[in-house]
Amino acid sequence: MTDNRRVTLYHSPNTRSTGALILLEELGALYDLHVLNMKAGEQRQAAYLAVNPMGKVPALRHGAAIVTEQVAVYLYLADLFAEAGLAPQIGDPLRGPYLRWMAFYAACFEPAVVDRFRKNDPGPQTMSPYGDYDTMLATVVGQLAKAPYLLGERFSAADVLWGTALGWTTMFELVPKLPEIMDYVNRVRSRPAAMRVQAKDAELAAAQQASG
């Protein structure tokens, strides 16, 4: 592994960037952490807004390249460290399903969950990016019921994304704690990389609380 693949992850503990940090650990990647204290509003200061004008994490720096948006960060990292095998490559029959579930997360799952949380009317199905919440959720649960992971027996970066997100959304009761979902969440959470990051985030959060 050469140093020109070293990346910097902009991270705040116990946020969306936690999943990206888990992915870096799963990949065995070379990385540095730039830790932001979101409770202190560091994500809204000029230095970070120059990285991501949306003021959100995760963001990734690789050389001169800046990558923002959660799914883009996952796709970029899994391809950059392709030897880890967490992203089916072009020509692999699983590449299409892999990209489908990555895109489904951003295009359907998150909008549906946010609308449900805010009690927004999604409007007519023809105008909604996800159709309706129940169909969206049934699609996810149906896939999880088939095999241990989204791509069957093969663990991928998509599982880091979905396992982390479903862990948060079930904890906050935005998604029901169905057996298929919780078994999957626990399967992903129990992996060594996820456990290392859980400990790291606890350490970072405690340090920020002590300094604040």
Side-chain angles (χ1 to χ4, degrees), residues 24-39:
L24 285 167
E25 287 287 320
E26 289 280 5
L27 293 167
L30 293 165
Y31 70 89
D32 299 303
L33 277 186
H34 184 114
V35 180
L36 296 164
N37 188 335
M38 296 184 77
K39 291 183 178 179

Side-chain angles (χ1 to χ4, degrees), residues 30-166:
L30 293 165
Y31 70 89
D32 299 303
L33 277 186
H34 184 114
V35 180
L36 296 164
N37 188 335
M38 296 184 77
K39 291 183 178 179
E42 291 179 358
Q43 79 279 14
R44 295 294 177 187
Q45 295 176 4
Y48 186 63
L49 292 176
V51 175
N52 185 357
M54 302 296 288
K56 294 163 57 178
V57 291
L60 190 74
R61 184 186 296 276
H62 177 216
I66 295 290
V67 185
T68 67
E69 310 318 309
Q70 190 174 16
V71 170
V73 168
Y74 279 68
L75 292 171
Y76 190 93
L77 287 173
D79 283 345
L80 181 63
F81 298 96
E83 73 279 4
L86 296 189
Q89 299 300 292
I90 293 175
D92 187 322
L94 291 175
R95 180 72 177 182
Y98 167 73
L99 293 176
R100 176 207 177 188
W101 287 111
M102 286 293 205
F104 191 93
Y105 175 84
C108 298
F109 178 78
E110 275 215 359
V113 168
V114 170
D115 278 350
R116 174 61 69 95
F117 174 70
R118 299 185 67 186
K119 297 181 172 56
N120 290 339
D121 181 358
Q125 283 198 350
T126 54
M127 298 294 292
S128 170
Y130 58 87
D132 66 84
Y133 179 91
D134 291 340
T135 301
M136 178 284 296
L137 187 63
T139 302
V140 176
V141 173
Q143 186 69 17
L144 296 181
K146 295 177 182 178
Y149 301 111
L150 287 168
L151 302 183
E153 297 295 326
R154 179 172 176 178
F155 179 78
S156 74
D159 295 301
V160 180
L161 175 67
W162 278 94
T164 305
L166 288 170

